[in-house]
Amino acid sequence: MAFAHTHAANRHWLPRASSKTLAHIPGEDGPPIVGNTFRMLKDPRAFGRRMFDRYGPIYRNRAFGDTMLNLIGPEANELVLFDRDKIFSSEQGWGPLLNLLFPRGLMLMDFEKHRADRRTLSVAFKPEPMRHYAEQLNRGIAREVRGWANRPMRFYDAIKALTLDLAAESFLGMELGPEAKRVNQAFVDEVQASVAPIRYPVPGTPMARGVAGRRYLIDLFKREIPRRRDGDGQDFFSHFCRATDEQGRPLSDDAIADHMNFLMMAAHDTITSSATSLVLLLGRHGAWQERLRDEIMALGLNDDEGLAYGQLDRLTLTDYAFKEALRWMPPVPSIPRRALKDFEFGGYRIPAGTQVGVSVAFTHHMPEIWPDPHVFDPLRFEPEKVRARHRFAWVPFGGGAHMCLGLHFAEMQIRILMTQLLRRYRIEVPEDAGHDWQAWPIPRPKDGLPVRFVPIG
């Protein structure tokens, strides 16, 4: 049986570059069969640092059943992500990891097909729908955070539940109700399966749970499509069901369900991670928390008002702080591609068929680019400092044609969340909280980030 994530099921994929053709690249293959998979999963940052220190900005590594090359630094990010010469396939990079879980999602498409579907999807991120989402986000966030006062809680768990509810309202246009817990678990199972060492859905394994989660979600989306095609809803799902391609044709039910499965995951899991890192950093740095609060209070909002869409760009320091949190803990730590042509990097000739990856998290902590990289300093993102850095030194949303389609939605949601939180509460985080994180597939604190929101005034 040819599973969807294998070369046998994707005849258009290039054959893998053989180990012999990559032997001239320095690196390590690790133990037979498993390679370095478990060493990477245990502590990816320490593993990457050791490999970089030993081998430099290009090194060979074997993990998850494949030999890949890691290309490190802003120049590598620009080469691979901007992809001026259309050398690198996102589909063939992500496919071996995600094709059983998120097949035909936007991230798993290349070139013309990707451009066409991205254009169709973008209708839901135009200014008028975004204003509608802003109103929903203000209502939904305010309703929830009013109940957070003086309540010991694990912030990651609370914000994950909230962002799923918000994604359901803004993206699906529906309340999940009793199904919310099952929907959330299905997404958790899909995401965890993406880095499961066993890559086949053997009963009882994380991959089997991930595949079952996908099946449940696809059925949920497909049940709703006919009603959305004929309706006038303003949520993302409804816009997408009514959208047409460049030839005026609607997308198929399968295409809509696959895109919704991927985008719903991205819309709440990545925002959950980045909101958690920002709250942790503000809890640790009270002076910066006060500066953001002063900026928000200066807007003059009354108790019943949220942050209007037209006021988003007035939160300059909040924007800097969010960008610094994304630097410190990017929600997508690394990005894989497969080379469709021979290319050169770091003085090496690299053959077509090679799996390559760029490390977002590693680049974001290179001291030659980011002095004192472990220090929280939002002023790194003042315009003159941004202009002085390589434009691919900071890439939490990727880059090039595959730049995250929902980045402005994410920025809007975080600014509204900070407005609703900081005008009400002081964030208090225990000194020992949030120190250990599960780095992959999407970072999260192992302790869930204990936090207390203390009312101000």
Side-chain angles (χ1 to χ4, degrees):
M1 180 179 180
F3 284 94
H5 67 305
T6 65
H7 277 69
N10 297 276
R11 299 294 185 180
H12 62 290
W13 286 7
L14 245 60
R16 293 188 180 95
S18 69
S19 298
K20 290 182 179 179
T21 64
L22 300 176
H24 63 296
I25 310 292
E28 302 171 14
D29 291 333
I33 303 176
V34 298
N36 292 312
T37 301
F38 294 107
R39 295 165 66 191
M40 287 176 59
L41 291 174
K42 181 179 180 181
D43 192 341
R45 187 166 292 179
F47 178 82
R49 169 53 62 183
R50 184 181 69 80
M51 296 291 278
F52 179 82
D53 289 345
R54 180 172 295 184
Y55 302 113
I58 176 171
Y59 61 84
R60 186 186 75 252
N61 175 42
R62 182 166 179 78
F64 298 108
D66 203 356
T67 298
M68 73 180 302
L69 301 183
N70 286 77
L71 312 182
I72 305 297
E75 292 78 13
N77 295 342
E78 181 172 19
L79 171 70
V80 175
L81 300 179
F82 190 64
D83 196 16
R84 182 181 291 105
D85 298 318
K86 295 186 176 179
I87 295 170
F88 302 101
S89 168
S90 184
E91 177 196 350
Q92 296 182 41
W94 286 107
L97 289 174
L98 300 182
N99 252 13
L100 283 176
L101 306 162
F102 302 104
R104 298 172 298 279
L106 196 62
M107 195 168 68
L108 282 80
M109 292 180 171
D110 287 327
F111 311 126
E112 184 56 30
K113 176 60 175 170
H114 170 264
R115 186 197 67 79
D117 276 37
R118 185 182 178 95
R119 178 183 175 278
T120 304
L121 283 166
S122 67
V123 67
F125 292 104
K126 293 185 181 298
E128 202 51 46
M130 289 287 280
R131 286 189 185 90
H132 178 72
Y133 304 151
E135 294 171 3
Q136 291 180 317
L137 291 172
N138 272 299
R139 288 196 302 269
I141 292 172
R143 183 174 59 243
E144 181 65 19
V145 303
R146 286 192 188 104
W148 288 0
N150 285 320
R151 193 180 84 194
M153 60 192 298
R154 294 183 183 274
F155 182 76
Y156 181 88
D157 298 335
I159 197 63
K160 187 168 184 8
L162 175 56
T163 55
L164 179 61
D165 286 343
L166 296 171
E169 187 173 2
S170 298
F171 278 60
L172 290 181
M174 60 188 289
E175 291 186 8
L176 295 175
E179 280 197 287
K181 184 174 182 181
R182 187 175 179 189
V183 169
N184 182 59
Q185 189 60 52
F187 282 121
V188 168
D189 289 342
E190 284 184 309
V191 171
Q192 291 301 119
S194 68
V195 292
I198 298 174
R199 305 305 303 157
Y200 295 88
V202 178
T205 64
M207 184 58 79
R209 290 191 289 273
V211 170
R214 166 185 159 71
R215 188 182 309 115
Y216 163 73
L217 291 167
I218 292 297
D219 288 344
L220 173 67
F221 299 138
K222 283 188 173 182
R223 289 199 305 268
E224 286 285 317
I225 290 173
R227 182 168 66 86
R228 303 309 179 89
R229 286 195 194 276
D230 298 330
D232 58 0
Q234 296 304 302
D235 56 274
F236 179 91
F237 192 12
S238 295
H239 277 291
F240 192 29
C241 287
R242 296 192 301 266
T244 56
D245 63 18
E246 292 172 330
Q247 286 73 46
R249 299 169 304 198
L251 293 179
S252 69
D253 289 7
D254 285 341
I256 292 171
D258 283 331
H259 280 307
M260 288 305 303
N261 182 41
F262 173 73
L263 290 169
M264 276 288 293
M265 177 277 295
H268 87 282
D269 267 14
T270 56
I271 291 176
T272 295
S273 177
S274 54
T276 301
S277 59
L278 179 56
V279 164
L280 169 61
L281 292 167
L282 292 177
R284 288 178 177 173
H285 299 88
W288 266 107
Q289 186 181 151
E290 288 301 319
R291 291 183 71 173
L292 266 58
R293 182 175 292 108
D294 290 345
E295 178 179 69
I296 290 165
M297 292 301 194
L299 296 176
L301 304 176
N302 64 44
D303 287 345
D304 296 323
E305 285 182 303
L307 180 66
Y309 183 73
Q311 295 176 304
L312 291 170
D313 60 0
R314 294 178 60 185
L315 296 183
T316 302
L317 293 179
T318 304
D319 178 54
Y320 293 171
F322 180 44
K323 288 177 176 175
E324 176 69 344
L326 290 171
R327 181 198 66 81
W328 182 78
M329 187 66 70
V332 181
S334 60
I335 301 174
R337 296 285 190 267
R338 191 174 293 277
L340 303 178
K341 310 172 188 176
D342 293 358
F343 71 101
E344 292 186 3
F345 180 77
Y348 295 97
R349 186 75 175 171
I350 300 166
T354 299
Q355 182 85 348
V356 303
V358 294
S359 177
V360 176
F362 193 94
T363 303
H364 284 189
H365 285 79
M366 295 177 75
E368 56 268 41
I369 303 170
W370 310 95
D372 299 317
H374 300 294
V375 172
F376 179 63
D377 180 12
L379 296 182
R380 299 179 198 271
F381 291 92
E382 291 179 312
E384 64 274 16
K385 294 178 181 177
V386 172
R387 286 193 293 269
R389 284 193 297 270
H390 193 292
R391 64 179 181 143
F392 280 81
W394 183 80
V395 287
F397 297 109
H402 279 86
M403 177 79 78
C404 175
L405 182 63
L407 71 91
H408 296 303
F409 181 88
E411 291 171 343
M412 179 172 72
Q413 184 164 333
I414 291 295
R415 291 181 203 190
I416 292 172
L417 175 66
M418 288 299 106
T419 299
Q420 296 289 357
L421 280 178
L422 293 179
R423 62 195 289 218
R424 289 182 171 87
Y425 303 124
R426 184 176 69 254
I427 302 170
E428 293 187 353
V429 174
E431 187 174 342
D432 60 347
H435 281 286
D436 294 324
W437 285 61
Q438 176 184 301
W440 285 353
I442 296 174
R444 62 178 179 85
K446 293 181 180 179
D447 61 3
L449 186 60
V451 65
R452 185 185 292 271
F453 293 103
V454 180
I456 59 175

